[in-house]
Each structure stands twice: as C-alpha cells, then as structure tokens.
Amino acid sequence: MCMFHETGPDQTPTATVEPGEGRLYQVKGMTCEHCAGSVTEEVEQVAGVTGIDVNLENGSVVVRGDGFSDADIRTAVDEAGYEVVGAHA
C-alpha cells in the first residue's frame, strides 16, 4: 500500500497487451507516481527484464524482456509493497 496516499475503493482494472509487447500484470494498491516508481524500481531489478510500463489508471504493469517468471515479478511487486492480482500473456 502507498505510504503517501490512502487507497480508494477497489475498481476492476481493465487493460490489454498486444502479443509480443510483454507480459501484463494487474497490481492492487498503486495510487500515485510514488507507487509506480516503487514498483518500477523493484521490477527493473529482476533478471531478464528490459522494460516496464506502469498505468496507474487501470492498475496495470507491462513487463518486457525474457527469462523472468511470473513468480519473479510477483516477488518484486511484493517487495515494493503491492500485490499482483492477475497475469496475462
């Protein structure tokens, strides 16, 4: 959870990613740029990650690269203080 802002009511995030653009993760609890920065910082440290795009509006994170697993990304997001609630190719 964000240490700087209270989270609002849960909303059902919707996002899509085109094949080959990366792997899409829905992340619960991100509400501000600080949240996005924390998630980005942790996920960028995962071996094989070459890029990350965070969308606060729909709670999505697109991760690009090769050689990482969903478990690797979940651990990184957990380290940032948030929770992966869905993953899609």
Side-chain angles (χ1 to χ4, degrees):
M1 291 288 187
C2 183
M3 303 273 219
F4 296 97
H5 299 327
E6 292 183 29
T7 56
D10 286 338
Q11 296 178 350
T12 303
T14 57
T16 59
V17 62
E18 294 297 319
E21 286 186 1
R23 185 133 176 93
L24 174 69
Y25 298 89
Q26 295 300 143
V27 178
K28 182 178 177 181
M30 296 187 305
T31 59
C32 68
E33 290 301 321
H34 178 265
C35 300
S38 295
V39 169
T40 298
E41 184 178 319
E42 290 296 332
V43 173
E44 284 179 334
Q45 294 179 41
V46 173
V49 171
T50 59
I52 177 173
D53 293 311
V54 176
N55 184 318
L56 291 172
E57 186 175 314
N58 61 25
S60 68
V61 176
V62 175
V63 180
R64 293 179 303 283
D66 290 311
F68 60 85
S69 69
D70 288 344
D72 295 334
I73 302 304
R74 285 180 190 276
T75 297
V77 170
D78 286 348
E79 287 292 319
Y82 304 92
E83 177 185 3
V84 172
V85 294
H88 312 281

